[in-house]
Amino acid sequence: MDAADPDDAPGPAAPSAADLPDLSPLIDRLEAAVVGQRPLLSRMVIALLAGGHVLIEGVPGLAKTRAVRALARALDLPFRRIQFTPDLLPADLTGTQVYHPQTGRFDVKQGPIVASVLLADEINRAPAKVQSALLEAMQEGQVTIGDETIRLPDPFFVLATQNPIEQEGTYPLPEAQLDRFLMKLLVGYPDRDAELAMLDLPGVADAHAPEEDRAPLFGPAEVRALRALTGSIRVAPALKGYIVDLIRATRAPHEYGLDLGPLIELGASPRATLALVRSSQGHALLSGRDYVTPFDVKSVARDVLRHRLLVSYEADAEGLCPDDVLGRILDHIRVP
């Protein structure tokens, strides 16, 4: 079955190619602020389109904060950054109740989490209670302070950074929280040409120089419309079956003729199936198409699944990481 055939997927509300917005200016704007990290920038935009959150792993100094701030500026979204530390308290994130003796009442003072774009820096240095507070915000779009529930802005987008867990003072995030991140992105060093070009960016040579201030390309209403449009990108039935097979192969590889059972401790959950569909739709929209292709699925599969796949000690002993196991699955499962 042809995955690109519009008749494969129903839906009168599906957009046509002529209706799709051109998102290349957004990528160009981000690349003007952060050079040499196009995969990171494009995946951040895809996650935003898909309505998910992103976990970014990399050593310090790779412009992760600059990239997130540039995205917020380009979309005219309120941005807040929180430095996660071992002594951070949930109230430092969500806010707290303040007692006023004059009135005898408690008023709610909102925390920095009440923003559209939240950068949780070095998230794997914070204690479990703080992680739990962030988990509620990511999953429910709200925070609870005392007996009051505060809805977070729409859109609400969390980009969390973490240092590799081998570094001192870091702790692995619980599986339940990892599963709430749409993607986990691995950021490496830029190449030599990109590092040279970085020296000419505004505000890089002088750490105290103000960042370039340019008019936003979109606003909050446009972001909400883009998310709705992403959900209407067509996914053919054959591709839906392909995605389900990819996910199920991480749980029961023997059913697909894969000898990976000893290498996998825990496979991806059904939430991963939904995440892979949404991310593939976002990749298609960013590519200017109104339908998903197998290329879209394969392009985002590792980013969506690497943090949801727990490899065994045997895999560690063989020097295999989740990306290696996923590569074998992607190479084996037949593409429609």
Side-chain angles (χ1 to χ4, degrees):
M1 185 180 293
D2 184 0
D5 187 352
D7 294 331
D8 288 344
S16 65
D19 298 328
L20 300 181
D22 181 13
L23 297 176
S24 58
L26 177 57
I27 298 296
D28 293 341
R29 172 73 64 87
L30 298 178
E31 284 197 299
V34 180
V35 297
Q37 298 289 2
R38 185 180 181 89
L40 166 66
L41 302 176
S42 63
R43 294 304 186 268
M44 284 170 50
V45 173
I46 289 170
L48 179 72
L49 294 173
H53 309 291
V54 175
L55 177 64
I56 306 172
E57 181 176 301
V59 298
L62 296 179
K64 298 184 292 292
T65 301
R66 185 180 180 93
V68 177
R69 183 178 286 111
L71 179 63
R73 284 176 176 266
L75 301 176
D76 196 25
L77 297 175
F79 166 80
R80 299 296 294 271
R81 174 185 175 274
I82 304 174
Q83 180 67 46
F84 279 50
T85 57
D87 60 347
L88 195 70
L89 298 174
D92 298 327
L93 180 70
T94 61
T96 187
Q97 291 181 316
V98 179
Y99 179 69
H100 294 278
Q102 298 85 351
T103 61
R105 296 179 53 187
F106 285 92
D107 291 334
V108 171
K109 178 177 175 57
Q110 297 180 359
I113 199 172
V114 185
S116 290
V117 178
L118 176 70
L119 174 60
D121 216 354
E122 296 188 300
I123 188 175
N124 57 336
R125 294 192 186 276
K129 287 184 177 181
V130 177
Q131 304 291 357
S132 178
L134 182 61
L135 182 62
E136 178 191 8
M138 293 170 57
Q139 183 65 25
E140 307 295 338
Q142 65 183 34
V143 293
T144 303
I145 304 174
D147 57 356
E148 185 171 342
T149 299
I150 299 175
R151 297 296 303 177
L152 297 172
D154 183 15
F156 176 65
F157 188 34
V158 175
L159 294 105
T161 70
Q162 71 172 15
N163 296 319
I165 59 173
E166 293 81 8
Q167 291 197 352
E168 184 178 356
T170 61
Y171 309 93
L173 298 180
E175 288 80 3
Q177 183 166 4
L178 284 174
D179 204 25
R180 263 64 175 192
F181 284 101
L182 183 76
M183 294 182 178
K184 178 183 178 182
L185 308 179
L186 304 180
V187 185
Y189 292 110
D191 59 31
R192 185 178 185 276
D193 292 339
E195 200 159 355
L196 278 172
M198 177 190 69
L199 299 178
D200 296 326
L201 292 178
V204 172
D206 180 4
H208 301 287
E211 294 188 25
E212 185 179 3
D213 190 12
R214 301 167 65 181
L217 296 174
F218 301 101
E222 287 83 3
V223 173
R224 290 191 290 269
L226 286 170
R227 285 185 167 182
L229 183 62
T230 301
S232 66
I233 297 296
R234 290 170 288 185
V235 185
L239 271 184
K240 292 178 181 178
Y242 174 60
I243 290 172
V244 169
D245 286 338
L246 288 176
I247 303 301
R248 292 184 62 83
T250 68
R251 303 182 213 141
H254 62 279
E255 294 182 3
Y256 294 89
L258 285 161
D259 187 22
L260 297 177
L263 303 179
I264 300 176
E265 187 75 23
L266 181 66
S269 72
R271 184 180 284 114
T273 309
L274 300 174
L276 187 51
V277 170
R278 294 201 314 269
S279 299
S280 300
Q281 289 174 312
H283 190 278
L285 179 58
L286 187 60
S287 302
R289 280 181 279 100
D290 59 344
Y291 56 88
V292 172
T293 68
F295 173 74
D296 297 313
V297 179
K298 285 196 167 188
S299 295
V300 299
R302 287 179 175 83
D303 300 314
V304 172
L305 299 178
R306 65 167 55 99
H307 56 298
R308 295 180 162 96
L309 186 68
L310 184 62
V311 296
S312 66
Y313 288 111
E314 183 173 335
D316 287 333
E318 295 183 19
L320 298 176
C321 67
D323 279 24
D324 298 321
V325 177
L326 290 170
R328 296 186 186 182
I329 294 174
L330 289 167
D331 290 340
H332 182 81
I333 301 298
R334 187 180 67 86
V335 176

